[in-house]
Amino acid sequence: MRAVRMQAPGGPEAMIVVDVPTPEPGPGQVRVRHEAMGLNFIDIYQRTGLYPLPCPTGLGLEGAGVVESVGGGVTRFKVGDRIAYASGPVGAYSEAHVVEAARAVHVPDDIPLTVAAGVMLKGMTAEYLVRRTFHVKQGQVILVHAAAGGVGQILCQWAKGLGATVIGTVGSPEKADLARTRGCDHTILYRDEDIAARVREITDSEGVAVAYDSVGATTFEASLASLSRRGMLVIFGNASGPVPPFDPLRLSRGGSLFVTRPTLFDYVATTEELDDSAAALFAEIASGRVKIEIGRTFRLEDIQEAHRTMESRDTTGSSILVP
């Protein structure tokens, strides 16, 4: 089968497509023949070495397809089942992949596998952010950075469905238009406007209950300055680089603020948590409350272009690879 491999961390050119033996599932594992694979910023962090991986290595944590082989002791799935996964192991950039049965979920018949491949990691991230890291409630005002991105679009729609007023930052008027169709009540062009000042203007100086920040270094200051008293900053990505060290006294001076740096894997650590998160996500999609946009589709052999496009922030919605 064809698969992406990387000999050492580096730029997009570090990834090449090679022929490798098709893996066989061991006990507790299944092999899934991919229909599509998800593209996520965590893949870039792993490729560059920000999140180190032992090399040589495959890349990619998310995929969806049909079970074609089942290892010993597996009762959760059978050959022919439609499944998806989002927590690896790394190597999803491939025509087929072996995953732990306990870390994959059934995909309902009314959810296309291409959608499942592009939404599992992003959608379950949105789920834990709005339901568990900070429980968004009706009437609250929230700030979402990169509102037109893959997680951003889902997060905005989900929070809007919970009754929140959503402020989203975006990079262009076109992305602002898209964000408004995905639940944003207000949009801020982060390149042209003072984010915190606009948030204070929109909220009559009160600030937001929570700021969801996947951008990191370049938005950290604005996020802190946008919070209301006892507000929470949730940093769940580093698209512009990691947040620099800061003095915790700033949190007390800012109004007894909270800062947290969660990761999906701690919220779907058990099979039960994984199933609950995926079920909540699929229910939101099936209801129509959350609409999923597959913005770009790349062939496996175009993986270098796919990463360059993601790094340029020239994407909207979810992007996927197809074999």
Side-chain angles (χ1 to χ4, degrees):
M1 70 174 193
R2 294 180 306 146
V4 171
R5 291 291 184 266
M6 180 179 76
Q7 295 300 312
E13 66 281 355
M15 300 177 295
I16 59 172
V17 178
V18 297
D19 291 321
V20 299
T22 301
E24 293 297 330
Q29 298 178 329
V30 298
R31 184 173 72 234
V32 54
R33 178 63 56 172
H34 286 143
E35 185 164 317
M37 302 80 80
L39 289 162
N40 298 284
F41 253 93
I42 191 172
D43 305 342
I44 293 174
Y45 303 154
Q46 291 177 332
R47 189 205 77 220
T48 61
L50 179 64
Y51 295 176
L53 293 175
C55 290
T57 183
L59 282 171
L61 294 168
E62 178 180 45
V66 176
V67 174
E68 65 175 8
S69 183
V70 175
V74 173
T75 58
R76 185 170 167 82
F77 302 109
K78 64 182 184 304
V79 172
D81 281 352
R82 304 167 79 248
I83 70 169
Y85 63 92
S87 53
V90 292
Y93 293 177
S94 57
E95 292 180 323
H97 196 32
V98 166
V99 299
E100 297 295 324
R103 304 308 300 161
V105 301
H106 288 273
V107 178
D109 290 340
D110 57 354
I111 305 292
L113 286 171
T114 50
V115 169
V119 79
M120 282 288 290
L121 195 149
K122 298 177 182 71
M124 291 194 301
T125 295
E127 180 276 321
Y128 83 74
L129 289 174
V130 300
R131 295 174 75 227
R132 292 187 280 163
T133 301
F134 182 95
H135 186 187
V136 174
K137 299 180 180 66
Q138 185 170 354
Q140 290 178 323
V141 185
I142 74 169
L143 175 66
V144 178
H145 289 291
V151 175
Q153 287 190 38
I154 302 170
L155 184 53
C156 290
Q157 293 177 84
W158 206 318
K160 185 67 176 176
L162 292 171
T165 296
V166 182
I167 304 171
T169 70
V170 293
S172 69
E174 294 76 21
K175 289 188 175 183
D177 290 340
L178 175 60
R180 283 189 286 270
T181 70
R182 295 295 189 263
C184 278
D185 298 281
H186 308 274
T187 56
I188 299 172
L189 297 174
Y190 68 84
R191 292 189 178 100
D192 305 324
E193 301 179 85
D194 183 317
I195 294 172
R198 281 286 291 126
V199 166
R200 296 292 172 180
E201 179 184 342
I202 292 166
T203 62
D204 294 327
S205 299
E206 169 124 358
V208 296
V210 61
Y212 293 110
D213 192 337
S214 61
V215 179
T218 61
T219 50
F220 173 69
E221 295 292 340
S223 294
L224 274 185
S226 296
L227 294 176
S228 63
R229 183 165 52 92
R230 299 198 305 271
M232 178 181 286
L233 170 55
V234 182
I235 303 168
F236 66 99
N238 320 285
S240 66
V243 169
F246 66 94
D247 184 350
L249 282 174
R250 294 189 56 193
L251 305 180
S252 63
R253 291 195 294 265
S256 298
L257 307 177
F258 297 85
V259 175
T260 184
R261 180 50 170 98
T263 179
L264 171 63
F265 308 118
D266 287 324
Y267 283 84
V268 293
T270 68
T271 303
E272 292 74 21
E273 289 174 333
L274 174 66
D275 284 342
D276 287 347
S277 184
L281 170 63
F282 291 145
E284 288 295 305
I285 296 172
S287 73
R289 290 185 294 269
V290 169
K291 297 178 174 60
I292 303 301
E293 178 200 9
I294 301 298
R296 295 286 301 273
T297 299
F298 297 90
R299 304 295 302 185
L300 187 64
E301 56 266 25
D302 297 324
I303 186 59
Q304 295 182 10
E305 177 192 352
H307 270 226
R308 291 189 184 100
T309 303
M310 281 199 294
E311 287 180 298
S312 71
R313 301 176 75 173
D314 190 27
T315 60
T316 59
S318 298
S319 296
I320 59 173
L321 284 176
V322 293

